[in-house]
Amino acid sequence: MYPNDSINSWFDGQGHWSDVPANKWNDWKWQLRNRLTTLDHLENFLDLTPEERKGALLADKKLALAITPYFFNLIDPNDPDDPIRRQVVPRVEETRTAPEELLDPVGEEGTSPVPGIVHRYPDRVLFLVTDRCAAYCRYCTRSRLVSNAQDYNFHPEYESGLRYIRSHPEIRDVLLSGGDPLLLSDQKLDHLLGELRKIPHVEFIRIGSRIPVFLPQRITPALADIFRKHGPIWMSIHVNHPNECTIALSAACEQLSFAGVPLGNQSVLLRGVNDDAETMRALLHRLLMMRVRPYYLYQCDLITGSAHLRVDPRKGIEIIRALRGHTTGYAIPQFVIDAPGGGGKVPINPDYIQEITDEAVIMRNFQGEEYRYPLISGAVGATPEVQPFHA
Ligand SMILES: *Cc1c(COP(=O)(O)O)cnc(C)c1O
């Protein structure tokens, strides 16, 4: 199905836009201006199902519809279950709310001291710098505020955010997110990163962005220079399916890597997209080939209207079990549930420990065989106390 895990066994041309001059196609601002944002737009290129047609009509009230021409081209128009399509084409199911679902599924509002800052963990903050993205994932954790379809009126206040970080010396790690931070102009990004770099206690700066995937044209030499100048800047991209691993994404990752940006990937486990071990393995292998280290695999948050995309977390555990030992350790992400209500990310792992006695750890390896690791003889019975780390 995914022969030899080669990058871009799929599609990298201009597709529906083959008459557009290459200089326009490769201009990120042209891509943004020409996004598909309405039902009419979509119907020019795709035979929509009734569920999708209704979804596109209702998207304005939930989470805006927007798909870049580049990303839209990755959809196979003959496959109603296409994994790219499932991520970005709205469906009427989004307007239904299951009892377990929440507007703020991971409890960000409760730990936001100033607008745009989420301070959940002691030593690091999430800094939301915009409510706009290049395209909108239908399972977005922040659909309450992103794209402003629900009149949230999110106004990022860089100065109050920066002031908060400056006045909290315990913050050593700042994660820029949104919306997508790479939608900011070069000038604004340069300024923001420069201000963060001036803060002596901020030792780690990272950006969460799906722009390399939705809009690889945004990764220009000028942008790479900004990251080089303020480096090390780390980046987590968001790829869910091997079909997203195009030559254009690969080139964007290469530019970022060569500018000294270590790359990680965050995927969301999604029904009909990547909820089987073979697809996941193909995705992870392609990421490694693009210098991207798989970081997290998320259980889909309980966002309102996401039931049709969510998967039983036991399936995720089985996928991780199918990978561990069977492929490169670097390829395997940490499967996590971001705990509803603001508990933070909790690692969810297959259980390899059979039993821990006073004498030994009894465990099973990746082939299910039992092994035994004897404990230090002198320490029998003395369980060492492990204290949580405090900065
Ligand atoms: C995910 C997240 C972070 C970063 O967590 P890491 O495990 O360090 O990647 C920080 N703050 C918030 C609020 C988050 O949701």
Side-chain angles (χ1 to χ4, degrees):
M1 193 175 177
Y2 301 107
N4 216 12
D5 292 338
S6 59
I7 300 290
N8 181 34
S9 60
W10 188 229
F11 178 74
D12 252 298
Q14 291 184 202
H16 299 295
W17 290 267
S18 50
D19 55 336
V20 172
N23 64 327
K24 281 194 176 160
W25 178 259
N26 293 319
D27 173 359
W28 66 278
K29 291 185 174 160
W30 182 92
Q31 288 281 338
L32 281 179
R33 273 198 306 275
N34 288 279
R35 287 183 296 179
L36 293 95
T37 56
T38 65
L39 174 63
D40 282 355
H41 263 150
L42 279 186
E43 290 204 301
N44 284 341
F45 301 114
L46 274 185
D47 289 329
L48 297 183
T49 65
E51 291 77 17
E52 290 172 329
R53 198 169 297 121
K54 267 187 224 153
L57 280 174
L58 293 167
D60 281 356
K61 298 196 173 50
K62 171 89 199 319
L63 171 70
L65 155 63
I67 311 170
T68 55
Y70 159 81
F71 198 69
F72 185 84
N73 267 343
L74 305 185
I75 296 174
D76 175 356
N78 300 314
D79 179 6
D81 296 321
D82 179 89
I84 306 289
R85 180 174 182 152
R86 287 179 71 77
Q87 295 180 58
V88 289
V89 174
R91 297 179 61 90
V92 70
E93 289 92 321
E94 291 174 22
T95 61
R96 301 178 188 143
T97 304
E100 69 276 16
E101 293 177 341
L102 301 160
L103 254 185
D104 178 16
V106 296
E108 293 181 333
E109 307 282 344
T111 46
S112 179
V114 299
I117 295 278
V118 182
H119 195 173
R120 172 186 298 147
Y121 299 105
D123 70 334
R124 54 206 192 278
V125 291
L126 187 60
F127 191 176
L128 309 179
V129 295
T130 172
D131 65 349
R132 299 304 145 114
C133 288
Y136 293 107
C137 311
R138 305 321 301 173
Y139 49 88
C140 175
T141 294
R142 291 192 196 102
S143 59
R144 70 182 184 283
L145 70 86
V146 157
S147 88
N148 204 35
Q150 301 182 29
D151 295 325
Y152 185 99
N153 278 319
F154 177 76
H155 294 292
E157 295 170 32
Y158 304 147
E159 270 319 310
S160 60
L162 285 169
R163 218 175 305 126
Y164 182 84
I165 296 166
R166 283 188 202 109
S167 62
H168 286 78
E170 72 275 21
I171 299 171
R172 45 163 288 285
D173 171 358
V174 176
L175 162 50
L176 298 182
S177 183
D180 201 310
L182 297 195
L183 272 193
L184 300 189
S185 66
D186 286 2
Q187 247 170 336
K188 270 195 181 155
L189 270 173
D190 188 21
H191 173 76
L192 201 53
L193 293 175
E195 288 303 303
L196 287 170
R197 268 289 167 244
K198 281 188 209 156
I199 306 173
H201 53 267
V202 173
E203 52 188 53
F204 190 75
I205 302 174
R206 52 178 155 167
I207 297 175
S209 174
R210 207 179 185 187
I211 288 259
V213 180
F214 283 148
L215 186 63
Q217 298 80 6
R218 173 70 185 99
I219 312 304
T220 58
L223 183 66
D225 280 343
I226 291 169
F227 295 143
R228 197 179 283 116
K229 171 175 156 194
H230 299 292
I233 305 292
W234 292 54
M235 190 177 294
S236 291
I237 64 171
H238 173 179
V239 189
N240 288 327
H241 189 277
N243 287 359
E244 292 161 57
C245 301
T246 61
I247 288 173
L249 173 59
S250 182
C253 291
E254 182 166 297
Q255 274 210 71
L256 290 167
S257 285
F258 288 7
V261 179
L263 295 172
N265 184 62
Q266 313 193 89
S267 293
V268 180
L269 182 64
L270 295 170
R271 198 200 301 178
V273 175
N274 55 18
D275 57 340
D276 65 276
E278 195 200 344
T279 305
M280 189 60 75
R281 190 183 352 246
L283 168 65
L284 300 172
H285 288 177
R286 289 183 196 193
L287 287 168
L288 290 188
M289 291 160 75
M290 299 191 300
R291 303 179 172 79
V292 180
R293 164 78 158 102
Y295 182 40
Y296 284 137
L297 171 64
Y298 289 96
Q299 173 64 20
C300 188
D301 292 330
L302 295 171
I303 187 69
T304 50
S306 65
H308 61 296
L309 288 170
R310 296 205 303 273
V311 180
D312 188 320
R314 286 172 290 191
K315 183 82 202 187
I317 293 170
E318 285 321 303
I319 290 175
I320 298 296
R321 192 193 295 283
L323 294 168
R324 174 63 63 194
H326 298 277
T327 184
T328 313
Y330 273 118
I332 302 172
Q334 175 64 59
F335 183 41
V336 291
I337 295 183
D338 207 337
K345 297 173 183 76
V346 181
I348 305 299
N349 290 309
D351 202 354
Y352 294 98
I353 297 177
Q354 196 83 346
E355 197 188 359
I356 303 182
T357 69
D358 284 346
E359 282 85 41
V361 179
I362 318 294
M363 60 209 163
R364 289 198 181 276
N365 78 344
F366 72 108
Q367 289 159 318
E369 296 155 345
E370 196 175 291
Y371 286 84
R372 192 172 173 277
Y373 179 92
L375 302 189
I376 305 163
S377 321
V380 171
T383 311
E385 294 253 334
V386 179
Q387 297 294 334
F389 173 78
H390 293 293

